[in-house]
Amino acid sequence: FVTCDPTIPLTVTLRNAGSNTLTSAIVIVTRNATVIETRSLTGLNIPSLGTQNIVLNAVPLVLGANSIQICTSQPNGVADTDPSNDCATVTGTRGAGGALPLVEGFEGATFPPAGWIRNNPDGGITWQRTTTGVAHSGIAKAFVDHFNYAAAGNTDDIRTPPYAIGTADSLWVSFWGAYRGYPGFPFDQFQVMVSSDCGQTFQVVYNARNDTAFVAPDGTSPTTTAGYYPSAVDQWVKKSLDLSNFISAGNIQVQFRAINQFGNNMHLDD
């Protein structure tokens, strides 16, 4: 399992592999070899080869890897004659779930920033940091070099860490983009995606062809034959997306996806 939550619910299926009806047992739950719960089960009525679901306490998780083991003992108050099937283990990971707000201008020399994930399926050109050209703020920005990226249709992602939403009445993500295409070539594309399960699945919340979304100021040609780097602050366009529908999920991750068409460079900043 993968989760951003601090606890995970636990229900076990108790199976009676013996020949007598099972009326009682002891269950011990450990997480990373630390005992989390010991429960004495009484009043059971599980026939031979029968099963019963038992709801146990939610297991508190540590950041990173978690190994949860559930073991039974003392069936009907006596030692189990065959303890080989008394334990089961499940493993998973808990994400960081940092606190909002997040502000990132890619000013630090390390890229991607701490906790961010860069997904580069083809192992080629992908998101990187650059100080060439004019940033929206500071001196640096993130960009994809579509100008030199011949593999049309390939995708490249940069993903924030997971964040705990907490108490909120609204939730937004805002960012600045700058773009020019290349004459005679298809325009590159851009998506914003959201995950509420620590990156296991993503939902597209914004999908645009770059020339329709990130060319500024008004009246500017959407193409250039030179590799594009913004030359003025007024070439940046702000986008704000309402993510309030995700508040109830309790956590969120945002992923920015560049879809290459061998056009020209796309830039991203705070």
Side-chain angles (χ1 to χ4, degrees):
F1 64 87
V2 177
T3 182
C4 297
D5 298 330
T7 63
I8 190 167
L10 180 61
T11 298
V12 299
T13 300
L14 202 60
R15 181 176 185 272
N16 180 10
S19 57
N20 298 319
T21 297
L22 183 65
T23 60
S24 66
I26 294 174
V27 175
I28 299 175
V29 180
T30 62
R31 184 215 59 230
N32 295 352
T34 298
V35 175
I36 300 300
E37 180 182 5
T38 301
R39 185 179 298 191
S40 179
L41 302 175
T42 59
L44 302 175
N45 186 24
I46 307 176
S48 176
L49 304 182
T51 62
Q52 181 175 333
N53 291 337
I54 306 294
V55 179
L56 300 174
N57 293 335
V59 178
L61 303 175
V62 298
L63 294 177
N66 290 262
S67 177
I68 301 170
Q69 185 179 66
I70 305 97
C71 293
T72 61
S73 64
Q74 296 296 111
N76 295 341
V78 298
D80 194 347
T81 57
D82 181 15
S84 64
N85 58 1
D86 285 353
C87 294
T89 301
V90 61
T91 60
T93 302
R94 177 190 168 198
L100 294 171
L102 165 66
V103 178
E104 180 57 63
F106 309 109
E107 296 301 310
T110 300
F111 189 89
W116 288 58
I117 295 173
R118 177 170 49 190
N119 182 31
N120 180 18
D122 67 349
I125 291 172
T126 190
W127 287 100
Q128 57 187 301
R129 176 182 182 268
T130 182
T131 56
T132 301
V134 175
H136 173 258
S137 65
I139 63 169
K141 52 198 176 297
F143 92 115
V144 175
D145 185 7
H146 294 294
F147 185 78
N148 291 300
Y149 195 178
N154 281 11
T155 63
D156 291 271
D157 306 324
I158 185 168
R159 183 186 307 172
T160 73
Y163 283 89
I165 296 172
T167 303
D169 57 13
S170 64
L171 182 68
W172 292 77
V173 60
S174 297
F175 56 93
W176 292 80
Y179 175 79
R180 298 289 186 272
Y182 190 89
F185 279 69
F187 291 102
D188 307 287
Q189 296 168 278
F190 182 83
Q191 293 179 336
V192 180
M193 312 167 79
V194 170
S195 173
S196 57
D197 56 11
C198 282
Q200 294 303 289
T201 60
F202 281 90
Q203 176 181 335
V204 176
V205 296
Y206 180 76
N207 184 35
R209 202 178 73 180
N210 291 354
D211 63 305
T212 65
F214 302 113
V215 173
D218 290 344
T220 301
S221 171
T223 62
T224 178
T225 57
Y228 173 64
Y229 295 87
S231 58
V233 172
D234 67 358
Q235 293 176 17
W236 289 89
V237 177
K238 184 178 183 180
K239 298 294 180 181
S240 295
L241 308 177
D242 187 356
L243 304 181
S244 299
N245 288 341
F246 293 92
I247 291 176
S248 61
N251 58 77
I252 194 168
Q253 250 180 314
V254 177
Q255 177 168 277
F256 302 98
R257 168 165 290 181
I259 303 174
N260 183 55
Q261 296 295 341
F262 196 22
N264 213 328
N265 301 337
M266 169 65 192
H267 300 261
L268 181 69
D269 207 353
D270 64 353

